[in-house]
Amino acid sequence: MTDEQLLRYSRHILLDALGIEGQERILATHALIIGAGGLGSPAALYLASAGIGKITLVDDDSVDFTNLQRQILHTQARVGMAKAESGRQALAAINPEIEIVPLQARLSGAALDDLVASADLVLDCTDNFATRHAINRACVHHRKPLVSGAAIRFDGQISVYDLRRDDAPCYHCLFPEGEDVEEVRCAVMGVFSPLTGIIGTMQAAEALKLAAGIGESLSGRLLLLDALDMEWRTVRFKKDGGCAVCGPTAAGQLPGYLPRPDADHESATGACRLA
Ligand SMILES: [Zn+2]
């Protein structure tokens, strides 16, 4: 670490649990952040300020005036700009020494697979149910830890799927695809501004812990926040032995890629859901 890095990260280094070793592991980590909106904004800002070595920031959308109420990566002057590039500018302004790769794309198929394979950990900051499952399948396949958050109205949730571990449940274990669920259109739903900040910031905290190799992650625990009453609830869950995504597979098939006719199906309505 350079003298400037020792200074920049000194308040991290002072933490007994983290120290120089933990900070060095953070500096060596490549985080893939999918979604540069309400959740991705605070997550990316904290990962950049904390010195995650490389951030790939993916979003296919452009900054809209209605985003500014909660998507704090972006500014009014950057309305109309690609969110990935707007995010890159915000992150570079805070920490010019990290590598930031902006990607204006809607990830699916091989592109998603390649990016997940190249990253050390993945933050799902999307608002789309089908995309969430596609990300989960890639993370199961490549055994990458997945930090997943969701926020809508006053309701937030967060969990970690530490797919490096054999006994860790995946997103599909908890939210099986195809079940009757409440699907709502995020584009027209209200979202309490700081709710996305709370959940996205917690995603950054879990990602940094995973990067540094410290503490106890949210693997096997789903935290649910009712921000209107400011009540937290914890739901504990286990790996589903019969899970179609991470469960035992027939010979020759790798977990995460069981034949699924709708494997790369993208929701046409941009539907999202919260458990
Ligand atoms: Zn599973």
Side-chain angles (χ1 to χ4, degrees), residues 8-9 12 23 26 31-57 68 70-75 78 83-96 98 100 123 125 196-205 207-208:
R8 181 187 284 272
Y9 307 118
H12 255 181
Q23 186 61 43
I26 289 171
L32 170 61
I33 303 177
I34 306 177
L39 299 171
S41 285
L45 286 167
Y46 272 110
L47 291 192
S49 63
I52 284 274
K54 179 177 176 182
I55 293 174
T56 301
L57 184 63
L68 301 178
R70 66 201 174 283
Q71 301 185 14
I72 58 175
L73 268 178
H74 314 302
T75 64
R78 297 203 289 267
K83 284 187 182 178
E85 170 57 21
S86 170
R88 185 199 66 77
Q89 292 184 15
L91 303 181
I94 290 176
N95 193 344
I98 64 166
I100 304 153
L123 287 83
C125 301
T196 55
I198 294 166
I199 300 295
T201 300
M202 289 178 72
Q203 287 183 264
L208 286 169

Coordinates of all heavy atoms in Angstrom, one line a residue, residues 8-9 12 23 26 31-57 68 70-75 78 83-96 98 100 123 125 196-205 207-208:
R8 N -5.7 7.3 3.1 CA -7.0 7.3 2.6 C -7.9 6.2 3.4 O -9.0 6.4 3.7 CB -7.1 6.9 1.1 CG -8.5 6.9 0.5 CD -8.5 6.4 -0.9 NE -8.0 7.4 -1.9 CZ -8.8 8.3 -2.5 NH1 -10.1 8.4 -2.2 NH2 -8.3 9.2 -3.3
Y9 N -7.3 5.1 3.6 CA -8.0 4.0 4.3 C -7.7 3.8 5.7 O -7.9 2.7 6.3 CB -7.8 2.7 3.5 CG -8.0 2.8 2.0 CD1 -7.0 2.6 1.1 CD2 -9.3 3.2 1.6 CE1 -7.3 2.8 -0.3 CE2 -9.6 3.3 0.2 CZ -8.6 3.1 -0.7 OH -8.8 3.3 -2.1
H12 N -10.2 2.5 8.2 CA -10.5 1.1 8.0 C -9.4 0.3 8.7 O -9.6 -0.7 9.4 CB -10.5 0.7 6.5 CG -11.9 0.4 6.0 ND1 -12.2 0.1 4.7 CD2 -13.1 0.5 6.6 CE1 -13.5 -0.1 4.5 NE2 -14.1 0.2 5.7
Q23 N -7.9 -4.6 4.4 CA -7.9 -3.5 3.4 C -7.2 -4.0 2.1 O -7.7 -3.6 1.0 CB -7.3 -2.2 3.9 CG -7.5 -1.0 3.0 CD -8.9 -0.7 2.7 OE1 -9.7 -0.6 3.6 NE2 -9.3 -0.4 1.4
I26 N -9.6 -6.0 0.2 CA -10.6 -5.1 -0.5 C -10.0 -4.5 -1.7 O -10.7 -4.5 -2.8 CB -11.1 -4.1 0.5 CG1 -11.9 -4.7 1.6 CG2 -11.9 -3.0 -0.2 CD1 -12.3 -3.7 2.8
A31 N -15.6 -6.1 -7.9 CA -17.0 -6.2 -7.6 C -17.8 -5.9 -8.9 O -17.6 -4.9 -9.6 CB -17.4 -5.3 -6.5
L32 N -18.8 -6.7 -9.2 CA -19.7 -6.5 -10.3 C -21.0 -6.0 -9.7 O -21.7 -6.7 -8.9 CB -19.9 -7.8 -11.0 CG -21.0 -7.8 -12.1 CD1 -20.8 -6.8 -13.2 CD2 -21.2 -9.2 -12.7
I33 N -21.4 -4.7 -10.1 CA -22.6 -4.1 -9.6 C -23.6 -4.1 -10.8 O -23.3 -3.3 -11.7 CB -22.4 -2.7 -9.0 CG1 -21.3 -2.8 -7.9 CG2 -23.7 -2.1 -8.5 CD1 -21.0 -1.4 -7.3
I34 N -24.6 -4.8 -10.7 CA -25.6 -4.8 -11.7 C -26.8 -3.9 -11.3 O -27.5 -4.3 -10.4 CB -26.1 -6.2 -12.1 CG1 -24.8 -7.1 -12.4 CG2 -27.0 -6.2 -13.3 CD1 -25.1 -8.6 -12.6
G35 N -26.9 -2.8 -12.0 CA -28.0 -1.8 -11.7 C -27.3 -0.6 -11.0 O -26.7 -0.7 -10.0
A36 N -27.5 0.6 -11.7 CA -26.9 1.8 -11.1 C -28.1 2.7 -10.8 O -28.0 3.9 -11.1 CB -26.0 2.4 -12.1
G37 N -29.1 2.2 -10.1 CA -30.2 3.0 -9.7 C -30.2 3.2 -8.2 O -29.2 3.6 -7.6
G38 N -31.4 3.0 -7.6 CA -31.6 3.4 -6.2 C -30.7 2.5 -5.3 O -30.1 3.1 -4.3
L39 N -30.5 1.3 -5.5 CA -29.7 0.4 -4.7 C -28.2 0.5 -5.1 O -27.3 0.5 -4.3 CB -30.2 -1.1 -4.8 CG -31.6 -1.3 -4.3 CD1 -32.0 -2.8 -4.7 CD2 -31.7 -1.1 -2.8
G40 N -28.0 0.5 -6.4 CA -26.7 0.5 -7.0 C -25.9 1.8 -6.6 O -24.7 1.8 -6.5
S41 N -26.6 2.9 -6.5 CA -26.0 4.2 -6.2 C -25.2 4.1 -4.9 O -24.0 4.3 -4.9 CB -27.0 5.3 -6.2 OG -27.4 5.6 -7.5
P42 N -25.9 3.9 -3.8 CA -25.2 3.9 -2.5 C -24.2 2.8 -2.4 O -23.1 2.9 -1.9 CB -26.3 3.8 -1.4 CG -27.4 3.2 -2.1 CD -27.4 3.7 -3.6
A43 N -24.5 1.6 -3.0 CA -23.6 0.5 -3.0 C -22.3 0.8 -3.7 O -21.2 0.6 -3.1 CB -24.3 -0.8 -3.6
A44 N -22.4 1.4 -4.8 CA -21.2 1.7 -5.6 C -20.4 2.8 -4.9 O -19.2 2.8 -4.9 CB -21.6 2.2 -7.0
L45 N -21.1 3.8 -4.4 CA -20.4 4.9 -3.7 C -19.6 4.4 -2.6 O -18.4 4.8 -2.4 CB -21.4 6.0 -3.3 CG -22.0 6.9 -4.4 CD1 -23.2 7.7 -3.8 CD2 -21.0 7.8 -4.9
Y46 N -20.2 3.5 -1.7 CA -19.4 3.0 -0.6 C -18.3 2.1 -1.0 O -17.2 2.1 -0.4 CB -20.4 2.4 0.4 CG -20.9 3.4 1.4 CD1 -22.2 3.7 1.4 CD2 -20.0 3.9 2.3 CE1 -22.7 4.7 2.3 CE2 -20.5 4.9 3.3 CZ -21.8 5.2 3.2 OH -22.3 6.2 4.1
L47 N -18.5 1.3 -2.0 CA -17.5 0.4 -2.4 C -16.3 1.2 -3.0 O -15.1 0.8 -2.8 CB -18.0 -0.6 -3.5 CG -19.0 -1.7 -3.0 CD1 -19.2 -2.8 -4.0 CD2 -18.5 -2.3 -1.7
A48 N -16.6 2.2 -3.8 CA -15.5 3.1 -4.3 C -14.8 3.8 -3.2 O -13.6 3.8 -3.2 CB -16.1 4.1 -5.3
S49 N -15.5 4.4 -2.3 CA -14.8 5.1 -1.2 C -14.0 4.2 -0.4 O -13.0 4.6 0.2 CB -15.8 6.0 -0.4 OG -16.7 5.1 0.2
A50 N -14.5 3.0 -0.2 CA -13.8 2.0 0.7 C -12.6 1.4 -0.1 O -11.9 0.6 0.6 CB -14.7 1.0 1.2
G51 N -12.5 1.6 -1.4 CA -11.3 1.1 -2.0 C -11.4 -0.2 -2.7 O -10.3 -0.9 -2.9
I52 N -12.6 -0.7 -3.0 CA -12.7 -1.9 -3.8 C -11.9 -1.7 -5.1 O -12.0 -0.6 -5.8 CB -14.2 -2.2 -4.2 CG1 -14.9 -2.8 -3.0 CG2 -14.3 -3.1 -5.4 CD1 -14.8 -4.3 -2.8
G53 N -11.0 -2.6 -5.4 CA -10.0 -2.3 -6.5 C -10.6 -2.1 -7.8 O -10.1 -1.2 -8.6
K54 N -11.6 -2.8 -8.2 CA -12.2 -2.7 -9.5 C -13.7 -2.8 -9.4 O -14.2 -3.7 -8.7 CB -11.7 -3.7 -10.4 CG -12.3 -3.7 -11.8 CD -11.6 -4.7 -12.8 CE -12.3 -4.8 -14.1 NZ -11.7 -5.8 -15.0
I55 N -14.5 -1.9 -10.0 CA -15.9 -2.0 -10.0 C -16.4 -2.0 -11.4 O -16.0 -1.1 -12.2 CB -16.5 -0.7 -9.3 CG1 -16.2 -0.8 -7.8 CG2 -18.1 -0.7 -9.5 CD1 -16.7 0.5 -7.1
T56 N -17.1 -3.0 -11.8 CA -17.8 -3.0 -13.1 C -19.3 -2.6 -12.8 O -19.9 -3.3 -12.0 CB -17.7 -4.4 -13.8 OG1 -16.4 -4.7 -14.0 CG2 -18.5 -4.3 -15.1
L57 N -19.7 -1.5 -13.4 CA -21.0 -0.9 -13.1 C -21.9 -1.1 -14.4 O -21.5 -0.5 -15.4 CB -20.9 0.5 -12.7 CG -22.1 1.3 -12.3 CD1 -22.7 0.6 -11.0 CD2 -21.8 2.7 -12.0
L68 N -33.7 11.2 -9.8 CA -32.9 12.0 -8.9 C -33.3 11.9 -7.4 O -32.6 12.2 -6.5 CB -32.8 13.4 -9.4 CG -32.2 13.6 -10.8 CD1 -32.3 15.0 -11.2 CD2 -30.8 13.0 -10.9
R70 N -33.8 9.5 -5.6 CA -33.2 8.5 -4.8 C -31.9 7.9 -5.4 O -31.1 7.3 -4.6 CB -34.2 7.3 -4.6 CG -34.5 6.6 -5.9 CD -35.8 5.8 -5.8 NE -36.1 5.3 -7.2 CZ -36.6 6.0 -8.2 NH1 -36.8 7.3 -8.0 NH2 -36.8 5.4 -9.3
Q71 N -31.6 8.1 -6.6 CA -30.5 7.5 -7.3 C -29.3 8.4 -7.2 O -29.0 9.2 -8.1 CB -30.8 7.1 -8.7 CG -32.0 6.1 -8.7 CD -32.3 5.6 -10.1 OE1 -31.6 5.7 -11.1 NE2 -33.5 5.0 -10.2
I72 N -28.6 8.4 -6.0 CA -27.7 9.5 -5.6 C -26.4 9.5 -6.4 O -25.5 10.3 -6.1 CB -27.5 9.5 -4.1 CG1 -26.9 8.1 -3.6 CG2 -28.8 9.8 -3.4 CD1 -26.6 8.1 -2.2
L73 N -26.1 8.5 -7.3 CA -25.0 8.6 -8.1 C -25.1 9.7 -9.1 O -24.1 10.2 -9.6 CB -24.8 7.2 -8.9 CG -24.0 6.1 -8.4 CD1 -24.1 4.9 -9.3 CD2 -22.5 6.5 -8.1
H74 N -26.3 10.0 -9.5 CA -26.6 10.9 -10.6 C -27.0 12.3 -10.2 O -27.4 12.5 -9.1 CB -27.7 10.2 -11.5 CG -27.5 8.8 -11.7 ND1 -26.3 8.3 -12.3 CD2 -28.2 7.7 -11.4 CE1 -26.4 7.0 -12.4 NE2 -27.5 6.6 -11.8
T75 N -26.8 13.2 -11.1 CA -27.0 14.6 -10.8 C -28.0 15.2 -11.9 O -28.1 14.6 -13.0 CB -25.7 15.5 -10.9 OG1 -25.2 15.4 -12.2 CG2 -24.7 14.9 -9.9
R78 N -26.6 15.6 -15.3 CA -26.3 14.4 -16.1 C -27.6 13.7 -16.5 O -27.6 12.5 -17.0 CB -25.4 13.5 -15.3 CG -24.1 14.1 -15.0 CD -23.0 13.0 -14.7 NE -23.1 12.3 -13.5 CZ -22.5 12.7 -12.4 NH1 -21.7 13.8 -12.3 NH2 -22.7 12.0 -11.3
K83 N -26.6 5.8 -17.3 CA -26.3 5.7 -15.9 C -25.0 5.1 -15.6 O -24.3 5.5 -14.6 CB -27.4 4.8 -15.3 CG -28.8 5.5 -15.1 CD -29.7 4.6 -14.4 CE -31.1 5.3 -14.3 NZ -32.1 4.4 -13.6
A84 N -24.5 4.2 -16.4 CA -23.2 3.6 -16.1 C -22.1 4.7 -16.2 O -21.2 4.7 -15.3 CB -22.9 2.5 -17.1
E85 N -22.2 5.6 -17.2 CA -21.1 6.6 -17.3 C -21.3 7.7 -16.2 O -20.3 8.2 -15.7 CB -21.2 7.2 -18.7 CG -20.4 8.5 -18.9 CD -18.9 8.3 -18.7 OE1 -18.4 7.2 -18.7 OE2 -18.2 9.4 -18.4
S86 N -22.6 8.0 -16.0 CA -22.8 9.0 -14.9 C -22.2 8.5 -13.6 O -21.6 9.2 -12.8 CB -24.3 9.3 -14.7 OG -24.6 10.0 -13.6
G87 N -22.5 7.2 -13.3 CA -21.9 6.5 -12.1 C -20.4 6.5 -12.1 O -19.8 6.8 -11.1
R88 N -19.8 6.3 -13.3 CA -18.3 6.3 -13.3 C -17.8 7.6 -12.9 O -16.8 7.7 -12.2 CB -17.9 5.9 -14.8 CG -16.4 5.8 -14.9 CD -15.9 5.9 -16.3 NE -16.1 7.3 -16.9 CZ -15.4 8.3 -16.6 NH1 -14.3 8.2 -15.7 NH2 -15.6 9.5 -17.1
Q89 N -18.4 8.7 -13.4 CA -18.0 10.0 -13.1 C -18.1 10.3 -11.6 O -17.2 10.9 -11.0 CB -18.8 11.1 -13.9 CG -18.5 11.0 -15.4 CD -19.2 12.1 -16.1 OE1 -19.7 13.1 -15.6 NE2 -19.3 12.0 -17.5
A90 N -19.2 9.9 -11.0 CA -19.4 10.1 -9.5 C -18.3 9.3 -8.7 O -17.7 9.8 -7.8 CB -20.8 9.7 -9.1
L91 N -18.1 8.1 -9.1 CA -17.1 7.2 -8.4 C -15.7 7.7 -8.6 O -14.9 7.7 -7.6 CB -17.3 5.8 -8.8 CG -18.7 5.1 -8.7 CD1 -18.6 3.7 -9.1 CD2 -19.2 5.2 -7.3
A92 N -15.3 8.1 -9.8 CA -14.0 8.6 -10.0 C -13.7 9.9 -9.3 O -12.6 10.1 -8.9 CB -13.8 8.8 -11.5
A93 N -14.7 10.7 -9.1 CA -14.5 11.9 -8.3 C -14.2 11.6 -6.9 O -13.5 12.4 -6.2 CB -15.8 12.8 -8.4
I94 N -14.8 10.6 -6.3 CA -14.5 10.2 -4.9 C -13.1 9.5 -4.8 O -12.4 9.8 -3.9 CB -15.6 9.3 -4.4 CG1 -16.9 10.1 -4.2 CG2 -15.2 8.7 -3.0 CD1 -18.1 9.3 -3.8
N95 N -12.9 8.6 -5.7 CA -11.7 7.7 -5.6 C -11.1 7.5 -6.9 O -11.4 6.5 -7.6 CB -12.0 6.4 -4.8 CG -10.8 5.7 -4.4 OD1 -9.7 6.0 -4.9 ND2 -10.9 4.8 -3.5
P96 N -10.2 8.4 -7.4 CA -9.6 8.2 -8.7 C -8.6 7.0 -8.8 O -8.2 6.7 -9.9 CB -8.9 9.5 -9.0 CG -8.7 10.1 -7.6 CD -9.7 9.6 -6.7
I98 N -9.1 3.8 -8.0 CA -9.7 2.5 -8.3 C -10.1 2.4 -9.8 O -10.2 3.4 -10.5 CB -10.9 2.2 -7.5 CG1 -12.1 3.2 -7.8 CG2 -10.6 2.2 -6.0 CD1 -13.4 2.7 -7.2
I100 N -12.7 1.7 -12.6 CA -14.1 1.6 -12.8 C -14.4 1.3 -14.3 O -14.0 2.0 -15.2 CB -14.8 3.0 -12.4 CG1 -14.4 3.4 -11.0 CG2 -16.3 2.9 -12.6 CD1 -14.4 4.9 -10.7
L123 N -23.1 -7.8 -6.9 CA -24.2 -7.2 -6.2 C -25.4 -7.0 -7.1 O -25.3 -6.4 -8.2 CB -23.8 -5.8 -5.7 CG -22.8 -5.7 -4.5 CD1 -21.4 -5.9 -5.0 CD2 -23.0 -4.4 -3.8
C125 N -28.4 -5.3 -7.9 CA -29.2 -4.0 -7.5 C -30.2 -3.8 -8.6 O -30.5 -2.6 -8.9 CB -28.2 -2.9 -7.4 SG -26.9 -3.1 -6.2
T196 N -33.9 3.0 -0.3 CA -32.9 2.4 -1.3 C -31.5 2.7 -0.7 O -30.6 1.9 -0.9 CB -33.1 3.0 -2.7 OG1 -33.0 4.5 -2.6 CG2 -34.4 2.7 -3.3
G197 N -31.4 3.8 0.0 CA -30.1 4.1 0.6 C -29.7 3.2 1.7 O -28.6 2.7 1.8
I198 N -30.7 2.8 2.5 CA -30.5 1.9 3.6 C -30.1 0.5 3.1 O -29.1 -0.1 3.5 CB -31.8 1.8 4.5 CG1 -32.0 3.1 5.2 CG2 -31.6 0.6 5.5 CD1 -33.4 3.2 5.8
I199 N -30.9 0.0 2.2 CA -30.7 -1.4 1.6 C -29.4 -1.4 0.8 O -28.5 -2.3 0.9 CB -31.9 -1.9 0.8 CG1 -33.1 -1.9 1.7 CG2 -31.6 -3.2 0.2 CD1 -33.1 -2.8 2.9
G200 N -29.2 -0.4 -0.1 CA -28.0 -0.4 -0.9 C -26.7 -0.2 -0.1 O -25.7 -0.8 -0.4
T201 N -26.8 0.5 1.0 CA -25.6 0.7 1.9 C -25.3 -0.6 2.6 O -24.2 -1.0 2.8 CB -25.9 1.8 2.9 OG1 -26.1 3.0 2.2 CG2 -24.7 2.0 3.8
M202 N -26.4 -1.3 3.0 CA -26.2 -2.7 3.6 C -25.6 -3.6 2.6 O -24.8 -4.5 3.0 CB -27.5 -3.2 4.2 CG -27.9 -2.4 5.4 SD -29.5 -3.0 6.1 CE -29.0 -4.5 6.8
Q203 N -26.0 -3.5 1.4 CA -25.3 -4.4 0.3 C -23.8 -4.1 0.3 O -23.0 -5.0 0.1 CB -26.0 -4.2 -1.0 CG -27.4 -4.8 -1.1 CD -28.0 -4.6 -2.5 OE1 -28.7 -3.7 -2.8 NE2 -27.6 -5.5 -3.5
A204 N -23.5 -2.8 0.3 CA -22.1 -2.5 0.3 C -21.3 -3.0 1.5 O -20.2 -3.6 1.4 CB -21.9 -0.9 0.3
A205 N -22.0 -3.0 2.7 CA -21.4 -3.5 3.9 C -21.1 -5.0 3.8 O -20.0 -5.5 4.2 CB -22.3 -3.2 5.1
A207 N -20.9 -6.7 1.0 CA -19.8 -6.9 0.0 C -18.4 -6.7 0.5 O -17.5 -7.5 0.3 CB -20.1 -6.0 -1.2
L208 N -18.3 -5.6 1.3 CA -17.0 -5.3 1.9 C -16.5 -6.4 2.9 O -15.4 -6.8 2.9 CB -17.0 -4.0 2.6 CG -17.0 -2.8 1.6 CD1 -17.3 -1.5 2.3 CD2 -15.7 -2.7 0.8

